[in-house]
Amino acid sequence: MKKLLWSPSEIENSQAWKFMQEVNQKHNLKLKNFHELYEWSCQSSEHFWDLFLDFSSIIVDKGSSNILKNGANLLESEWFPDAKLNFAENLLSRRDDSDAVIFWGEDLYKTSLTFNELYAQVANLSIWLRGMGVKKGDRIAGFLPNMPEAIVSMLATSSLGAIWTSCSPDFGVQSVLDRFGQVEPKVFICVDAYLYNGKVFNCLEKNQSIILKLPSIERTILVRYVDDKPINITLKNSTNFDDIVNTDESPDLIFERFKFNDPLYILFSSGTTGVPKCIVHGVGGTLIQHKKEHNLHCDIKEGERVFYFSTCGWMMWNWLISGLASGATLMLYDGSPVLKNNENILFDYADQEKFNIMGISAKFLDTCRKLELNPMNSHNLSSLRMMLSTGSVLNSDCFDYVYEKIKSSVCLSSISGGTDIVSCFVLGSNILPVYRGELQTRGLGMSVEVWDELGSPVNGRKGELVCTKTFPSKPVMFWDDKAMKKYSNSYFKRYPNIWHHGDYVKLLDNGGMVFYGRSDTTLNRGGVRIGTAEIYRQVEVLEEVFESIVVEQNWDDDSRIILFVRLKEAIQLTDDLKEKIAKQIRENTSPRHVPDLIIQVSDIPRTKSGKIVEIAVQKAIHGLPIENKSALENPQVLDEYHHHKELQ
């Protein structure tokens, strides 16, 4: 039985409802609900995106009535080929003394910028960069925490038509070189140090190493964050960020408009299967897609306070920053989401600063559940109307936890997409109900289907998430990808001219979706495909288990399923606990899901954005080389898997 957790009210006050009325009026239709709007947006995708461009108040010169070029070819298609716009102009369109950005560096640093202050800092930095010879197409790299200076730097970059790329400062030197070395930045913007769980991590030596090994860097800008003492390392051709942006002058920015599909961002794949791919996203595609998700799915309005826990190395940072184009106040946070001396730090932030939308990872919610945090009793979250979760599958128990322990009257939207599209394929809506364990809807204008291995659509059965039509936020290219071979092989190799995203999912009758994990790590038991998330959902409800990871191991001309568990402190994996885990899986999924071996480990390997890495574990237990270990938060734990005696 489906369990209804939340139902919408005041539907007719939403932007999605107002947009639907415009669609009905312009196209003589009678769309009555979000799902009907979704179906129309895919059937008439050109009309949808053209009408939304007008509805969204994006500042753009359309140039012509040409909406889509080469629309039948997903790889070569081009949206609004004659349109021109400036990304920064759209994000800086609000000018007043209200808060544009509020920042917490854990519980130690707090600051803010008004919309007028943000504009002035961007203008000063933009003029400085232009004076240093930065022009359209040049790359500017940020090695920064999620702080106001990162936003100022990105907007100044995009104001000139240059390309922004960034990593978070917890990345090691080689990880940074693997990324920035491919795109050869002209300017490097870095921080002196960053915070994590109350501890200061100095970055000056890392910065110096990176600068010396990247000959393309002509100028460096240093952001002072953690302290203002004189530094003992001289960075080559370096200028202090504050000296550039904090002047008495109030220059005006002249916004040159660039082509809709000119590059805006270079994002990087996780790098867990090799050197990271450099994915280039366009000015217009990024903006129109984010505005659609913010306005029609999240109903973000001017003055609302929007938070997403992210670093500058994750696409949710880019997604959050676009909230400025809706006049929202961005709530930034740098550091650990759970402090040793304060497990409730993010709920403190939400309470004190009155979040309207709070975005976090599924892992964070599961951690809160296991820590038995109860913000419903300890905090005032009356302003909070929507919670977003992404990064991995949100299990059903976390849905229950949100409604029982955080807030019963919040719209909880689990969303899914990725760096590849700098946005979402599947997400939420504040005018749709929330059911336990389900993602509410596919993204408007995104022709998402579920296909079987033969390339036939299936509903109500598990299969591959695909997108059958082009969409504006597809990458404009991969960097240095001659003849677009990497691009084509990444998404169109399995199903020609169909975007294959690599998620193992099921489409439900009500238009919602259930996710079962990545299809490249799907387990195969006797020809039956098993999504890893199906096992995690069961194992991690047990009070003894903190987290887990499951992979398949080749064994005796066949394969076997290995479940690794990280248990709570001082708990050991006894035979009784193994049987309890197996019983939980058997009774709530099927006998096929029960692993052949259950092994206790000290930790689970994960990327720096918190995603567990099944492929790395699979390679470790088979003794295969693991490329780019530096992309992982804790690569040292893989030795434990590789040498485990039970797997030899």
Side-chain angles (χ1 to χ4, degrees):
M1 285 286 292
K2 292 163 76 75
K3 182 178 178 182
L4 177 67
L5 296 174
W6 179 84
S7 294
S9 60
E10 300 183 9
I11 290 173
E12 295 182 7
N13 289 332
S14 70
Q15 293 173 81
W17 179 265
K18 290 169 184 170
F19 178 72
M20 200 187 316
Q21 307 321 305
E22 288 208 15
V23 173
N24 287 338
Q25 183 177 0
K26 181 157 187 175
H27 295 283
N28 196 25
L29 298 171
K30 295 180 179 178
L31 305 178
K32 299 183 293 295
N33 56 50
F34 196 93
H35 290 309
E36 290 182 5
L37 176 62
Y38 171 76
E39 294 297 337
W40 174 81
S41 75
C42 295
Q43 292 161 7
S44 305
S45 59
E46 290 182 56
H47 290 314
F48 166 75
W49 288 109
D50 188 42
L51 184 57
F52 180 70
L53 185 59
D54 295 336
F55 177 85
S56 68
S57 301
I58 288 174
I59 304 166
V60 61
D61 297 324
K62 281 190 177 180
S64 74
S65 58
N66 197 357
I67 302 168
L68 180 60
K69 181 179 174 183
N70 297 329
N73 185 321
L74 221 158
L75 180 65
E76 296 178 3
S77 57
E78 188 178 346
W79 287 90
F80 301 104
D82 303 315
K84 290 188 173 184
L85 72 163
N86 187 294
F87 190 79
E89 181 181 16
N90 277 276
L91 271 65
L92 294 169
S93 59
R94 185 176 175 187
R95 310 267 178 83
D96 57 41
D97 289 323
S98 303
D99 287 327
V101 179
I102 292 174
F103 170 66
W104 279 25
E106 296 192 337
D107 53 0
L108 298 175
Y109 296 89
K110 295 179 184 178
T111 188
S112 63
L113 287 175
T114 68
F115 285 95
N116 282 331
E117 289 168 340
L118 177 64
Y119 177 87
Q121 289 199 9
V122 171
N124 282 321
L125 181 55
S126 177
I127 289 165
W128 186 91
L129 290 170
R130 190 188 296 273
M132 293 297 140
V134 172
K135 59 188 184 303
K136 178 185 173 185
D138 286 340
R139 279 76 63 207
I140 295 181
F143 190 45
L144 298 166
N146 177 23
M147 63 194 307
E149 289 84 347
I151 298 178
V152 171
S153 300
M154 181 277 288
L155 290 172
T157 300
S158 63
S159 74
L160 299 171
I163 306 169
W164 174 257
T165 189
S166 57
C167 292
S168 60
D170 56 340
F171 276 46
V173 171
Q174 190 56 51
S175 284
V176 177
L177 295 174
D178 287 344
R179 290 159 173 78
F180 294 167
Q182 295 186 69
V183 302
E184 300 176 304
K186 180 181 275 191
V187 178
F188 181 60
I189 306 178
C190 54
V191 73
D192 57 358
Y194 68 94
L195 285 173
Y196 200 84
N197 225 332
K199 187 176 177 184
V200 174
F201 294 85
N202 193 291
C203 295
L204 292 173
E205 289 186 6
K206 278 203 289 191
N207 295 335
Q208 189 174 53
S209 296
I210 292 162
I211 294 163
L212 292 174
K213 292 175 182 176
L214 286 180
S216 65
I217 294 173
E218 296 177 9
R219 300 291 305 191
T220 296
I221 301 173
L222 179 65
V223 174
R224 304 304 305 274
Y225 169 27
V226 173
D227 66 58
D228 54 7
K229 296 173 188 170
I231 59 174
N232 56 6
I233 289 179
T234 302
L235 301 178
K236 184 181 174 185
N237 294 329
S238 177
T239 305
N240 191 301
F241 185 92
D242 286 342
D243 292 343
I244 298 171
V245 302
N246 293 329
T247 68
D248 295 330
E249 299 174 17
S250 301
D252 277 332
L253 268 172
I254 299 170
F255 294 109
E256 181 185 347
R257 293 185 180 169
F258 304 101
K259 289 184 177 180
F260 192 90
N261 295 288
D262 278 345
L264 168 71
Y265 291 136
I266 298 175
L267 273 59
F268 303 100
S269 64
S270 63
T272 52
T273 57
V275 176
K277 296 189 284 284
C278 306
I279 303 169
V280 184
H281 287 291
V283 177
T286 301
L287 183 59
I288 194 173
Q289 177 76 316
H290 288 175
K291 281 280 280 182
K292 178 210 74 178
E293 295 184 348
H294 291 175
N295 298 163
L296 302 187
H297 286 272
C298 299
D299 202 31
I300 294 173
K301 294 174 176 140
E302 183 173 305
E304 287 206 296
R305 296 182 159 223
V306 182
F307 169 85
Y308 217 107
F309 180 80
S310 182
T311 71
C312 293
W314 190 25
M315 55 114 336
M316 291 312 298
W317 182 83
N318 308 76
W319 188 94
L320 171 66
I321 305 316
S322 292
L324 290 169
S326 297
T329 300
L330 306 185
M331 318 304 293
L332 307 185
Y333 181 88
D334 171 56
S336 172
V338 179
L339 301 182
K340 287 178 182 175
N341 63 349
N342 182 4
E343 295 169 337
N344 278 298
I345 183 67
L346 291 191
F347 295 112
D348 291 350
Y349 192 11
D351 179 342
Q352 292 178 38
E353 300 290 357
K354 305 303 175 194
F355 291 3
N356 302 115
I357 295 178
M358 183 176 188
I360 30 70
S361 67
K363 180 65 192 164
F364 171 76
L365 283 177
D366 200 42
T367 298
C368 293
R369 181 179 68 84
K370 287 168 180 170
L371 291 171
E372 299 181 354
L373 303 186
N374 192 348
M376 189 179 284
N377 287 345
S378 57
H379 291 73
N380 177 1
L381 301 177
S382 57
S383 62
L384 187 65
R385 64 171 182 82
M386 184 176 239
M387 290 190 75
L388 304 172
S389 168
T390 193
S392 56
V393 178
L394 185 66
N395 66 50
S396 296
D397 295 282
C398 285
F399 275 82
D400 294 339
Y401 170 74
V402 167
Y403 285 98
E404 291 169 6
K405 302 295 183 183
I406 298 180
K407 188 172 183 179
S408 60
S409 59
V410 73
C411 176
L412 172 62
S413 295
S414 180
I415 64 177
S416 182
T419 300
D420 315 83
I421 62 169
V422 74
S423 59
C424 301
F425 277 126
V426 186
L427 58 169
S429 166
N430 67 321
I431 65 169
L432 287 173
V434 176
Y435 292 97
R436 184 178 191 257
E438 295 181 13
L439 286 75
Q440 291 168 284
T441 179
R442 292 164 286 178
L444 293 168
M446 309 291 276
S447 298
V448 173
E449 296 182 4
V450 182
W451 282 21
D452 63 18
E453 293 179 351
L454 300 176
S456 299
V458 292
N459 286 353
R461 282 168 38 208
K462 297 170 192 171
E464 300 286 342
L465 188 153
V466 300
C467 192
T468 61
K469 291 183 181 178
T470 182
F471 50 93
S473 67
K474 72 182 185 68
V476 294
M477 62 180 175
F478 281 17
W479 195 258
D480 197 24
D481 180 23
K482 293 178 176 60
M484 301 184 91
K485 284 186 178 177
K486 286 183 197 170
Y487 190 162
S488 182
N489 286 337
S490 293
Y491 310 117
F492 307 114
K493 191 174 181 180
R494 181 155 187 180
Y495 306 112
N497 202 32
I498 299 292
W499 182 290
H500 172 234
H501 199 56
D503 284 322
Y504 192 50
V505 300
K506 180 165 69 178
L507 179 62
L508 306 172
D509 290 340
N510 65 352
M513 268 194 165
V514 177
F515 276 62
Y516 297 96
R518 295 289 296 167
S519 53
D520 53 5
T521 54
T522 297
L523 310 171
N524 192 312
R525 177 61 68 83
V528 177
R529 296 179 81 197
I530 297 170
T532 54
E534 297 176 79
I535 294 175
Y536 302 144
R537 281 191 188 107
Q538 301 310 320
V539 174
E540 294 180 15
V541 300
L542 300 174
E543 61 182 5
E544 297 91 344
V545 179
F546 193 80
E547 59 183 341
S548 60
I549 193 166
V550 64
V551 297
E552 202 167 342
Q553 183 190 30
N554 298 328
W555 191 258
D556 285 345
D557 299 321
D558 199 352
S559 65
R560 60 182 185 174
I561 294 174
I562 316 294
L563 173 67
F564 297 95
V565 291
R566 176 188 168 198
L567 302 179
K568 290 188 178 173
E569 200 169 338
I571 294 178
Q572 294 299 310
L573 184 64
T574 62
D575 288 341
D576 287 345
L577 182 51
K578 286 182 183 179
E579 179 50 39
K580 182 178 180 180
I581 293 169
K583 183 181 179 187
Q584 174 73 15
I585 296 170
R586 186 185 305 111
E587 292 182 352
N588 292 283
T589 53
S590 78
R592 284 196 186 96
H593 289 69
V594 177
D596 298 286
L597 275 181
I598 303 174
I599 295 172
Q600 183 174 1
V601 289
S602 63
D603 202 359
I604 306 292
R606 61 182 61 80
T607 65
K608 292 185 184 295
S609 60
K611 296 181 182 180
I612 62 172
V613 280
E614 292 149 336
I615 289 176
V617 170
Q618 205 160 27
K619 288 185 174 182
I621 67 174
H622 287 105
L624 298 173
I626 301 165
E627 301 93 341
N628 207 14
K629 281 188 184 179
S630 58
L632 302 182
E633 178 74 31
N634 50 349
Q636 68 283 354
V637 303
L638 289 168
D639 289 341
E640 184 178 343
Y641 293 76
H642 176 55
H643 296 295
H644 204 286
K645 63 186 181 203
E646 290 188 66
L647 299 176
Q648 306 308 312

